[in-house]
Amino acid sequence: MHKISDFLHRHSKPGAAQQHQQALGESGGGETTQGQPSTQTGGPFPSEHDLYCYRKQRGVNLGSWFVLERWITESPFRFALPPGQSDLDVAKGSYAKQSLERHWDTWITEEDWRWLAQHGVNAVRIPIGYYHLCGADPSVLTGTDFADLAVVFEGAWYRIQNALSLAHKYGLGVLLDLHAAPGKQNAESHSGTSASTPQFFTPANMAHTTRILTTLLTHLNPSTHPNLIGVELINEPAPGPHSASLKGWYRNTIQSLRDVNSWNANGGLPIYVGDCWQTDEYADFVSNSDFVFKNVVLDHHLYRCFTSEDVRTSISDHTRSLLDPNAITPSLFSRTSSKLSGAGHGGFVVGEWSGALNPGSLSSLPNGQRETELKARQKYISAQLNLYNKWCSGWFFWTYKKESKGEKDLGWSFRDVWGEGLIGRDQWVGGLVVRNGEERDGGRGNRKVIARGKALGEHSAYWDKYPGHYEHFRFSDGFCRGWDDMYDYFLTPISPTNRDCQGGECKEGIIVQELGLKGGWVALRVAQYLKGREGAEKYIWEFEHGMMQGIDAARKDFVQVYC
């Protein structure tokens, strides 16, 4: 049996592999690689954890679940102390423990996980505060604003673990985001307190935050939580004059997390860091070839509704600026993706984005013409997804849902946006919806040979113009490895919708996953390739180039043949 079928049998629920292969048409044609390398958990590569971590993440934020935001959920603030805007205000108010635990248990339930899985979402970003970890280790609260509030938050840790388990049940990856650090890292109330001045950038608070993040990983394990796709060090830090300190803290904290044994092998768990809206600067910083930065993912947040320029810009102009490849934002995304595309680099994600616009951007639309506004909003959201699909390893819409007040929020609530048809299903998944389950054009193996020959010919012709010794067969090896690995992703039903498509629920076709963190994946394959190949290091760049091209060629082939 083809190796993909064997893999499916090992990693799928009973019956899922057979059903998925029938849907796609089992064809063979891929090359096998003997002696798979070990992975983070010590088993064969790729493990279930690898498949979660390295795939393209099409996700949403579960905003105001643990870290509260009053504009999303009003009810938990009913008994909060003034000014009533932060977790600390709620925790110091009346009935805090009961109110919070009721909210944690009702805001996100199993129905929500099921809904997300059925609608093409394969990952969630969960904002948490350091105080939510006190149930795992009470010392995280020592010397902080929450020092005497352990009894209020001790039940959060169990619920965070349960969130990981339920997400896994439905095939969703989880990115845990430290949204609130000791002293708070920005002036916003979603950083834990209503204080206006950040105090995170002190040696004591920064060191304590590193210990907190280490505690987080110490109490989790890839064997029990294979769907933990990463940890984000802190959300939206505002370093001001402390940028050098933040970069030093990033480096030291990443190294500390790499030393947590259960996640250490092969560079460990992907670590996400915020770009402080200084994307070029921080892309240069994390693209450093130092091992510490292996599998470090740069997180950018994109909103077009807060600045005075945003208000002056019409929705149609916002849309055009996202579609024009020479405009500021697409150019920035292109540069950043290029910087982070090399072997070993993690990738580039948009950890927060939305369909929200300032009313000023909608003022040019005809009054009272709802359909016109809906079409304009759909085009604006579509322009963002086009950008992310082209340049990013993943994205997370902010936010999943809002507390209902009788009106839909077509800017911030993913469920409302989806319900109004403002996000197209095919576009959300980059067109990777199976329409044709039959092989054609000679089968996948023949198509790979043709694509490899063309790519190898172009590669050889270019480099042979320059004096030197080359080993172009390594480009060929890499191309085949990249092609086969990308098809492994397409044919592995870990994707939540593949599970829920069983029994005819997914009438429009199966949604497949794809490789997203390409640089990190290539680094793993390079390490495998070099074993037993003395002298290959000098020419490994040809293997890397070939693998990247093989990955891209396989995606193009899959879309043409199956979609």
Side-chain angles (χ1 to χ4, degrees):
M1 181 178 287
H2 191 275
K3 76 181 185 75
I4 295 176
S5 298
D6 292 333
F7 184 85
L8 292 171
H9 282 296
R10 286 187 284 112
H11 289 282
S12 304
K13 287 186 175 182
Q18 299 91 325
Q19 185 162 351
H20 194 69
Q21 283 291 348
Q22 291 170 3
L24 294 180
E26 188 172 355
S27 65
E31 295 185 2
T32 62
T33 300
Q34 300 298 321
Q36 299 290 344
S38 359
T39 186
Q40 284 93 328
T41 54
F45 174 80
S47 69
E48 184 183 16
H49 180 245
D50 295 320
L51 290 168
Y52 273 105
C53 285
Y54 290 95
R55 70 182 178 184
K56 181 169 282 191
Q57 313 296 351
R58 300 183 171 94
V60 300
N61 283 273
L62 300 185
S64 204
W65 188 11
F66 292 101
V67 174
L68 300 175
E69 298 195 44
R70 190 162 188 165
W71 67 277
I72 299 174
T73 51
E74 172 74 24
S75 56
F77 291 88
R78 181 180 177 189
F79 301 105
L81 290 185
Q85 296 297 319
S86 69
D87 284 353
L88 187 61
D89 298 337
V90 173
K92 289 190 171 183
S94 303
Y95 312 108
K97 182 178 179 70
Q98 300 94 312
S99 296
L100 286 171
E101 291 187 348
R102 184 184 307 112
H103 175 73
W104 296 336
D105 291 338
T106 58
W107 183 237
I108 302 294
T109 67
E110 186 158 358
E111 187 279 329
D112 295 293
W113 297 111
R114 184 181 298 110
W115 188 94
L116 289 165
Q118 290 172 340
H119 289 81
V121 174
N122 70 1
V124 295
R125 180 173 178 259
I126 303 181
I128 59 174
Y130 67 92
Y131 35 89
H132 293 118
L133 306 182
C134 68
D137 183 352
S139 71
V140 300
L141 302 183
T142 302
T144 73
D145 294 316
F146 291 79
D148 58 348
L149 295 170
V151 67
V152 175
F153 291 99
E154 62 188 358
W157 176 242
Y158 160 76
R159 291 167 171 88
I160 291 170
Q161 291 180 298
N162 191 52
L164 279 158
S165 297
L166 274 173
H168 183 243
K169 176 179 178 180
Y170 289 96
L172 276 75
V174 175
L175 171 61
L176 289 179
D177 152 48
L178 189 63
H179 223 67
K184 65 183 307 184
Q185 70 277 9
N186 60 47
E188 304 300 325
S189 57
H190 57 60
S191 290
T193 80
S194 297
S196 58
T197 305
Q199 297 295 324
F200 166 77
F201 299 98
T202 66
N205 278 333
M206 296 175 87
H208 188 43
T209 304
T210 300
R211 289 193 295 271
I212 289 165
L213 289 163
T214 304
T215 296
L216 173 63
L217 286 195
T218 301
H219 285 82
L220 297 173
N221 191 289
S223 62
T224 53
H225 297 297
N227 60 323
L228 180 62
I229 61 174
V231 169
E232 184 152 3
L233 300 189
I234 46 173
N235 174 68
E236 295 183 355
H242 306 290
S243 184
S245 296
L246 178 64
K247 290 176 182 177
W249 180 80
Y250 273 167
R251 170 182 285 276
N252 294 337
T253 302
I254 292 168
Q255 184 61 67
S256 295
L257 296 183
R258 295 297 187 222
D259 292 339
V260 177
N261 289 334
S262 61
W263 302 101
N264 190 40
N266 296 323
L269 186 73
I271 303 298
Y272 289 64
V273 299
D275 67 357
C276 307
W277 289 285
Q278 301 172 45
T279 312
D280 280 317
E281 179 181 344
Y282 279 83
D284 291 336
F285 174 65
V286 302
S287 63
N288 189 304
S289 59
D290 191 323
F291 174 78
V292 172
F293 292 94
K294 184 176 181 181
N295 275 351
V296 174
V297 183
L298 189 65
D299 177 19
H300 176 73
H301 295 178
L302 193 153
Y303 293 121
R304 291 292 182 265
C305 55
F306 294 123
T307 70
S308 57
E309 183 179 355
D310 290 339
V311 176
R312 292 192 302 267
T313 304
S314 69
I315 185 172
S316 58
D317 285 343
H318 276 304
T319 301
R320 278 192 290 269
S321 70
L322 293 168
L323 293 174
D324 179 0
N326 297 315
I328 293 174
T329 299
S331 296
L332 175 66
F333 274 49
S334 174
R335 288 195 307 275
T336 305
S337 178
S338 177
K339 291 175 182 178
L340 300 176
S341 64
H345 297 155
F348 180 48
V349 302
V350 176
E352 294 184 17
W353 67 283
S354 76
L357 290 163
N358 188 280
S361 297
L362 304 173
S363 61
S364 61
L365 298 176
N367 290 330
Q369 294 190 17
R370 177 175 170 79
E371 289 303 316
T372 300
E373 179 182 335
L374 291 178
K375 288 180 181 178
R377 285 183 177 276
Q378 190 278 328
K379 290 179 180 179
Y380 171 62
I381 292 172
S382 174
Q384 291 188 75
L385 284 171
N386 283 337
L387 190 66
Y388 308 153
N389 268 304
K390 184 172 184 178
W391 298 117
C392 298
S393 300
W395 55 85
F396 298 82
F397 189 96
W398 186 279
T399 183
Y400 168 51
K401 64 179 181 178
K402 289 181 63 179
E403 209 166 55
S404 176
K405 295 182 180 179
E407 292 185 5
K408 295 182 178 180
D409 190 324
L410 301 184
W412 297 105
S413 170
F414 183 81
R415 286 198 69 143
D416 291 342
V417 169
W418 190 282
E420 288 293 329
L422 303 186
I423 293 180
R425 184 170 178 268
D426 278 20
Q427 190 173 36
W428 176 256
V429 298
L432 293 177
V433 180
V434 174
R435 306 297 185 193
N436 171 39
E438 300 296 327
E439 281 279 5
R440 65 171 187 258
D441 303 331
R444 184 164 74 251
N446 289 342
R447 297 195 307 276
K448 179 175 70 173
V449 169
I450 294 170
R452 176 183 59 183
K454 181 176 183 296
L456 178 60
E458 293 172 351
H459 172 84
S460 302
Y462 177 83
W463 287 105
D464 288 347
K465 293 184 295 184
Y466 302 93
H469 176 71
Y470 302 98
E471 294 186 352
H472 297 321
F473 70 88
R474 301 197 189 280
F475 177 92
S476 179
D477 289 348
F479 186 95
C480 291
R481 181 71 277 155
W483 175 290
D484 291 342
D485 282 353
M486 186 61 119
Y487 258 99
D488 279 4
Y489 261 86
F490 292 145
L491 298 174
T492 302
I494 198 173
S495 177
T497 48
N498 292 349
R499 295 176 178 178
D500 283 336
C501 279
Q502 298 180 33
E505 291 183 36
C506 196
K507 296 182 176 62
E508 295 183 40
I510 293 175
I511 298 172
V512 300
Q513 62 184 350
E514 64 177 311
L515 183 58
L517 298 182
K518 299 176 185 178
W521 187 272
V522 170
L524 293 177
R525 284 302 194 190
V526 164
Q528 175 201 12
Y529 184 79
L530 289 174
K531 290 181 179 179
R533 290 184 170 93
E534 293 185 8
E537 293 89 349
K538 183 177 180 180
Y539 307 100
I540 198 62
W541 65 272
E542 293 200 69
F543 180 88
E544 292 173 353
H545 285 202
M547 192 168 175
M548 286 293 190
Q549 290 195 32
I551 289 169
D552 292 339
R555 190 191 196 284
K556 181 178 179 181
D557 179 80
F558 188 88
V559 171
Q560 290 177 341
V561 173
Y562 292 110
C563 303

